[in-house]
Amino acid sequence: METSEIRNAIDDVNQRVAALEKSLGAADKAVRMAEVEERMASPDFWNNQESARKDVEELKSLRAIVEPLRDVQGRAADCGELFEMLEAEGDTAGLQEVGADALKLQEDLKSLELMALLSRPHDREPCFFSIHTGAGGADACEWAEMLLRMYLRFFERRGWKVEELDFQPGDEAGIKGVELRVTGPFANGYLRGEMGVHRLVRISPFSGKRETSFAAVDVVPDYQEDINIVIDDKDLKIDTYRAGGKGGQHVNKTDSAVRITHLPTGIVVAVQNERSQHSNKDMAMKILKSRLKQREEAARAAQASAHNASKNDNAWGSQIRNYVMNPYQLVKDVRTGVETGDINKVLDGDLDAFIDAYLRWAVQ
């Protein structure tokens, strides 16, 4: 690299770091992080388990922002100081190393800049993540299971915690549906763009013909504050049944599983992961209230913006991505246009390109 190119790269890094400090509110988050850490150091911190859990999750989210930013700030400062010193000494080889470090910093900043896009209310919170089959019979059930594996691999790579709340096996193969609670830094923010219908085209292992299958993904914030929604008992249909499935934690010998149907909206929530019917009902009600709150927020946003109302990019039932395995191989997001021919890599959980593109597209 020419000396002028290295200087320009360092200047670019410094400008982007300064912009990130402002957009991420880094100073305020650093202060808040110190407050939470001080509270966690108290000997009675774990006396209130629920409050402690929220603090731990908040600290993880804050550290996910503050610590990487501090790292690039330090590296950028080192690059600038070394550049000035090596340029004065005429150390060409040393300047090339600084240039390589500056280029690496430019790449590393992309992930932090993406994080700056996660500024919507509730982006940093955990979420309830569900997959349900659409049209396609056994093929759709198997497709839903393929999607479940894809997302579990993605969650694993991110180091996120996943709790299975409900699991409904398919009659012949795959699954009819699954409900998960996903916890990790900005889990809801990263996953909100996955909400919608996912379409698969392939040669069916059941019919031997080319078939099209659909499965729907739903993403709802696990609101950490109290949800001020009153639900009339007459609007609820509550069923209890015996938890079942593929064995292990899915099998229960009592009717502890709970399914709640909200009659005015048709929303159905089922939970069976706990042994206690009471615990399952409490969790099901929490999910139901979260979905009702999300609907209210979406309705307000649509009324406030005619553009958002017509765009409706996150509406349940909207097709967001096509996965084609035959007659060619292609995964394409219909909103952003991002595509790849390596479908196996995507189905193994490599979703970063699609999620990153959606977040940038949504801002525009």
Side-chain angles (χ1 to χ4, degrees):
M1 295 177 66
E2 297 291 334
T3 301
S4 59
E5 292 177 321
I6 299 173
R7 181 183 293 277
N8 289 339
I10 292 174
D11 288 343
D12 174 67
V13 166
N14 287 328
Q15 291 170 8
R16 288 164 65 184
V17 168
L20 274 171
E21 287 183 80
K22 183 177 180 180
S23 62
L24 290 172
D28 291 339
K29 285 182 171 59
V31 171
R32 177 61 181 168
M33 190 172 79
E35 291 174 352
V36 176
E37 288 175 332
E38 182 178 358
R39 189 159 59 246
M40 291 178 66
S42 171
D44 60 353
F45 173 72
W46 289 103
N47 289 353
N48 187 328
Q49 293 285 326
E50 182 64 21
S51 175
R53 182 185 63 81
K54 290 180 180 180
D55 281 341
V56 169
E57 290 183 358
E58 181 183 5
L59 183 60
K60 287 180 180 178
S61 296
L62 290 168
R63 283 177 172 170
I65 297 172
V66 174
E67 292 179 354
L69 185 56
R70 284 175 175 172
D71 176 64
V72 296
Q73 286 172 325
R75 290 162 59 195
D78 290 343
C79 271
E81 292 172 4
L82 276 173
F83 176 81
E84 298 297 337
M85 180 181 70
L86 295 173
E87 185 185 32
E89 295 176 355
D91 188 340
T92 304
L95 284 171
Q96 293 305 309
E97 291 183 11
V98 171
D101 290 341
L103 292 178
K104 179 64 167 57
L105 264 172
Q106 286 179 316
E107 285 299 310
D108 292 347
L109 279 169
K110 289 180 180 179
S111 61
L112 280 174
E113 288 168 338
L114 183 66
M115 193 177 294
L117 301 177
L118 299 169
S119 58
R120 299 194 334 169
H122 315 300
D123 271 352
R124 77 177 189 178
E125 294 179 346
C127 66
F128 297 111
F129 185 94
S130 63
I131 302 173
H132 296 283
T133 58
D139 282 292
C141 289
E142 189 171 73
W143 172 224
E145 187 172 47
M146 291 166 66
L147 281 176
L148 174 60
R149 178 188 179 277
M150 178 183 78
Y151 284 113
L152 288 177
R153 292 283 289 159
F154 175 73
F155 301 154
E156 180 183 2
R157 291 178 180 182
R158 290 264 170 173
W160 291 351
K161 178 183 175 182
V162 180
E163 180 184 5
E164 185 179 287
L165 303 178
D166 186 54
F167 183 92
Q168 298 295 329
D171 294 329
E172 299 178 53
I175 62 172
K176 292 180 181 178
V178 65
E179 181 89 47
L180 309 174
R181 183 180 185 271
V182 183
T183 305
F186 295 95
N188 183 62
Y190 278 111
L191 293 174
R192 57 182 163 87
E194 295 303 290
M195 181 178 176
V197 172
H198 297 246
R199 172 177 174 263
L200 172 70
V201 180
R202 65 167 181 171
I203 299 297
S204 168
F206 304 99
S207 69
K209 301 176 182 179
R210 193 167 70 186
E211 302 282 359
T212 301
S213 305
F214 299 89
V217 171
D218 193 15
V219 181
V220 181
D222 180 3
Y223 297 98
Q224 297 304 287
E225 75 274 13
D226 291 335
I227 302 175
N228 187 25
I229 290 180
V230 178
I231 302 176
D232 196 322
D233 289 344
K234 67 180 178 58
D235 290 336
L236 299 178
K237 179 177 182 290
I238 302 177
D239 300 303
T240 59
Y241 58 98
R242 184 167 300 178
K246 58 189 176 182
Q249 63 177 318
H250 305 291
V251 175
N252 199 329
K253 295 182 179 181
T254 62
D255 291 343
S256 61
V258 175
R259 181 186 296 109
I260 298 178
T261 304
H262 186 245
L263 300 176
T265 62
I267 295 175
V268 180
V269 179
V271 177
Q272 60 171 302
N273 69 314
E274 301 289 346
R275 295 291 180 183
S276 162
Q277 184 182 115
H278 178 74
S279 297
N280 283 329
K281 182 180 178 181
D282 286 347
M283 178 58 72
M285 286 298 296
K286 181 177 184 181
I287 297 172
L288 174 59
K289 287 185 176 181
S290 294
R291 289 184 176 166
L292 290 174
K293 181 178 175 67
Q294 186 190 50
R295 286 169 68 102
E296 285 187 357
E297 291 180 346
R300 284 197 298 269
Q303 291 172 357
S305 171
H307 174 67
N308 285 345
S310 62
K311 190 171 175 180
N312 202 24
D313 58 89
N314 251 5
W316 177 266
S318 61
Q319 186 170 305
I320 66 164
R321 194 171 301 143
N322 293 317
Y323 306 72
V324 181
M325 303 183 77
N326 184 275
Y328 51 86
Q329 293 197 346
L330 180 71
V331 182
K332 183 172 182 177
D333 194 290
V334 300
R335 303 159 301 180
T336 65
V338 170
E339 62 181 54
T340 177
D342 195 345
I343 189 170
N344 291 326
K345 188 175 181 181
V346 174
L347 292 177
D348 198 41
D350 189 358
L351 300 173
D352 289 326
F354 293 99
I355 290 176
D356 292 3
Y358 170 80
L359 292 173
R360 298 180 194 281
W361 173 84
V363 169
Q364 296 171 0

